[in-house]
Amino acid sequence: MKLLRIFILIIVLVAAGSTLYAQGTLSAKEIIEKADEKIRGKTNNSVLEMQIIRPTWQRDISMKSWSNGLDYSMTYITSPARDKGQVFMKRKTEMWNWMPSIGRMVKIPASMMSQGWMGSDYTNDDILKESSIVVDYNHSLVGEEEVEGLNCYKIEMKPKEEAAVIWGKVYKWITKDEFIQIKSEYFDEEDELVKSDFGYDFKKMDGRLIPTRIEIVPTGEEGKKTVLFLKEVKFDIPIEESFFSQQNMKRIR
């Protein structure tokens, strides 16, 4: 009888340990949510610089950006002089471009989301954040790998049937300790690798350890890449939905 009680106790302890382990294990979606919230916050205001690098030339763009959740974002070009004042805005399902040089407000159709933004390797979707890596994909934890000496979760993301996304599949490598998106690979619907991005120069900005240099490298195009530098950022600051309006696009500085 005593042996039976000991045996039952062992089973209970093992079961309890398994439950605690399961509770402490994050799902693939939870990992993505943590990584996305870390770089995005509930709201954010940032200052960025972009280098578009090609085999025979380089173009530099400076900008300011604001966002509120997944539905609202605005990007204002501060240089070069020929592009200064251009504004790109997403408000829920609508996307707009204000071009002060010709005094025109242009609606950006969903069909243009896969096109390069300002001639870079970023797409309009990347900048305007039409799709959400949390909402529009199904997530699977497919392994754990070391990237640049850091232990990472490897997450496979496949679009939901109803989602209007431009990628057939995405892989993301997210560090296990800080939930930093350190590497991504983007595939088209034919399962061909289109581009990869890499996060570098981790720094504490507004209390968060995040990459301050992101390089996007298109597949099979030697000498081409786009580098984005995060110069300043403030998270979770008051930015009302009313900020994201066509009227504000024309007067923002």
Side-chain angles (χ1 to χ4, degrees), residues 5-248:
R5 285 198 298 270
I6 292 172
F7 180 68
I8 292 172
L9 178 62
I10 290 171
I11 292 175
V12 170
L13 289 172
V14 169
S18 298
T19 301
L20 289 171
Y21 176 77
Q23 290 174 344
T25 303
L26 295 171
S27 68
K29 184 177 181 180
E30 288 171 331
I31 294 167
I32 289 291
E33 285 175 337
K34 282 180 174 290
D36 188 55
E37 198 282 331
K38 183 161 193 175
I39 196 69
R40 185 197 297 270
K42 295 180 179 62
T43 65
N44 74 68
N45 173 210
S46 56
V47 177
L48 309 108
E49 294 179 2
M50 177 183 287
Q51 292 179 348
I52 304 170
I53 299 170
R54 297 297 182 256
T56 58
W57 55 269
Q58 176 177 315
R59 184 182 180 204
D60 297 342
I61 301 174
S62 298
M63 68 196 89
K64 298 177 182 178
S65 180
W66 299 261
S67 72
N68 181 332
L70 300 174
D71 290 330
Y72 302 92
S73 66
M74 189 179 294
T75 300
Y76 170 76
I77 306 300
T78 57
S79 71
R82 68 177 184 180
D83 297 313
K84 184 176 180 178
Q86 273 206 71
V87 182
F88 298 83
M89 181 185 74
K90 176 194 175 186
R91 185 175 174 87
K92 294 187 176 179
T93 59
E94 294 186 340
M95 287 149 284
W96 299 88
N97 176 203
W98 165 245
M99 294 182 286
S101 60
I102 58 174
R104 287 190 61 193
M105 183 77 69
V106 178
K107 189 172 184 179
I108 302 173
S111 60
M112 290 181 62
M113 285 301 99
S114 62
Q115 294 188 10
W117 182 79
M118 301 290 286
S120 74
D121 298 301
Y122 277 90
T123 64
N124 287 321
D125 187 88
D126 293 328
I127 298 298
L128 293 172
K129 301 179 178 65
E130 181 196 22
S131 61
S132 163
I133 65 171
V134 175
V135 175
D136 293 324
Y137 291 86
N138 294 311
H139 312 86
S140 302
L141 178 59
V142 295
E144 297 180 7
E145 295 181 4
E146 189 173 289
V147 180
E148 299 291 329
L150 298 171
N151 293 322
C152 299
Y153 299 108
K154 182 180 179 181
I155 308 291
E156 181 183 69
M157 299 168 36
K158 291 187 174 180
K160 296 178 180 177
E161 288 187 9
E162 69 278 9
V165 300
I166 63 175
W167 303 115
K169 178 175 64 179
V170 179
Y171 286 107
K172 285 190 175 288
W173 284 260
I174 296 170
T175 62
K176 297 179 69 175
D177 56 350
E178 291 283 351
F179 297 99
I180 297 170
Q181 299 182 51
I182 192 172
K183 177 183 174 182
S184 304
E185 292 181 345
Y186 301 85
F187 293 79
D188 62 19
E189 293 181 347
E190 282 72 47
D191 207 31
E192 295 289 332
L193 179 63
V194 176
K195 67 178 183 179
S196 304
D197 68 40
F198 306 88
Y200 301 103
D201 299 345
F202 301 155
K203 296 178 184 177
K204 272 276 183 84
M205 303 198 78
D206 201 24
R208 302 181 183 213
L209 185 66
I210 55 177
T212 60
R213 175 168 61 97
I214 299 172
E215 296 191 3
I216 292 189
V217 183
T219 302
E221 299 187 58
E222 188 175 351
K224 290 182 63 175
K225 68 178 178 179
T226 298
V227 186
L228 187 68
F229 299 92
L230 181 61
K231 312 301 289 186
E232 301 174 23
V233 63
K234 293 291 183 184
F235 294 105
D236 301 339
I237 59 176
I239 306 177
E240 300 298 326
E241 294 176 3
S242 58
F243 174 86
F244 303 90
S245 67
Q246 290 188 20
Q247 293 76 14
N248 206 28

